Amino acid sequence: MELKGRSRIFDLAVRLENGMARHPHHPPYAFAMAKTHGGHGYKDGVSAAMEMIAMGAHVGSHVDALGHVSKNGKIFGDRDVLMGLDCMDGLDAGSIEESLPMIGRGHLFNGPEFFGRDLTPADGIGPEVFEKWFETHEQPQPGSVMLIRTGWMQYWSDPERYIGLATGLPGVTIEGARWLSARGIVATGSDTMNYEHKPDSNIINLPVHVHNLVECGIPIMESLNLEVLGESGYTEFTFIGIPLRIAGGTGSPIRPIAIVSGI
């Protein structure tokens, strides 16, 4: 969307629709009409329609709550993992309700542009990559939001390939995550289903999630649609992403936007 003479707005969310890609550990997105137009007793030919939606909080474009991941029974702030009654009420500590709106200076790392090719699961994004990229781009500062484009969104319509369960995924390495957190970023996200580098799908480990969520309190966004933004050439912008207020939630769907002003 372009507001002529003022700014351009990039929608960074994927479309929510039945059958879309999801990790098998998370419930699928489901949409069904509860009422359709016609025959509801309204006067003067008026009718109304409504739907039912069911989905996991980590399906589609979403953000992880700080309590999504724990280590040794602890979450960010050295707090004990606490669940509601019978664990059915979700998190009592670190839930998505605690998460602040993610608003700040946004920065895009454009992987295909940096490497000059499509990325593969062997590609980890670490300090040496960021150092080289930011030689010619504005560096993240305290309060920045860092987005990582791997180009993997091109496989969104092929769920098996997009999820990468058989192949692994490109992404940020633990060293890269530490490089970013040392610069004071307040949130980060990528276009993959799993933000961190997975060179081998058999690796069952979440070091980057632990570092960001548990150690630093940095929310992680996943399955962002960064294709149009990446193709635009813009790498600095105002970022806005606001999670839903879900009681006890371990995450939330979001519709993030990037705003480029003064164009």
Side-chain angles (χ1 to χ4, degrees), residues 211-230:
H211 177 71
N212 282 348
L213 298 176
V214 181
E215 297 174 356
C216 299
I218 298 173
I220 294 173
M221 296 170 282
E222 292 166 319
S223 293
L224 302 180
N225 188 349
L226 302 177
E227 292 305 282
V228 176
L229 179 61

Side-chain angles (χ1 to χ4, degrees), residues 63-250:
V63 60
D64 295 343
L66 300 185
H68 175 51
V69 171
S70 66
K71 184 173 182 180
N72 299 323
K74 299 287 187 177
I75 64 169
F76 179 67
D78 198 34
R79 294 180 292 172
D80 292 331
V81 173
L82 298 175
M83 305 291 287
L85 182 64
D86 296 326
C87 296
M88 296 305 293
D89 293 330
L91 298 171
D92 280 348
S95 80
I96 198 67
E97 275 197 293
E98 296 181 9
S99 297
L100 298 173
M102 295 170 288
I103 302 174
R105 183 65 169 172
H107 305 264
L108 177 71
F109 168 76
N110 196 332
E113 179 181 328
F114 177 85
F115 288 100
R117 56 170 172 79
D118 288 345
L119 274 66
T120 74
D123 292 312
I125 302 168
E128 66 288 346
V129 172
F130 286 134
E131 291 282 358
K132 187 69 175 177
W133 174 261
F134 286 113
E135 285 179 1
T136 54
H137 295 84
E138 179 183 294
Q139 291 216 13
Q141 303 291 330
S144 291
V145 177
M146 187 71 215
L147 305 184
I148 309 296
R149 179 180 178 242
T150 68
W152 214 249
M153 189 53 63
Q154 66 181 300
Y155 307 125
W156 178 252
S157 60
D158 182 353
E160 184 174 344
R161 185 168 188 182
Y162 178 76
I163 296 168
L165 290 182
T167 61
L169 294 168
V172 177
T173 66
I174 182 59
E175 294 82 7
R178 290 171 179 151
W179 191 93
L180 291 173
S181 65
R183 279 146 184 82
I185 66 168
V186 295
T188 186
S190 74
D191 54 1
T192 54
M193 186 163 288
N194 190 318
Y195 173 87
E196 60 190 275
H197 187 211
K198 289 279 186 180
D200 185 340
S201 60
N202 293 317
I203 296 174
I204 309 299
N205 198 7
L206 294 171
V208 174
H209 277 68
V210 169
H211 177 71
N212 282 348
L213 298 176
V214 181
E215 297 174 356
C216 299
I218 298 173
I220 294 173
M221 296 170 282
E222 292 166 319
S223 293
L224 302 180
N225 188 349
L226 302 177
E227 292 305 282
V228 176
L229 179 61
E231 292 166 3
S232 74
Y234 295 114
T235 55
E236 288 84 35
F237 41 85
T238 297
F239 178 88
I240 300 176
I242 302 175
L244 300 176
R245 189 177 181 183
I246 303 173
T250 66

Side-chain angles (χ1 to χ4, degrees), residues 22-27 163 165 193:
R22 67 174 179 91
H23 195 283
H25 289 172
H26 297 288
I163 296 168
L165 290 182
M193 186 163 288

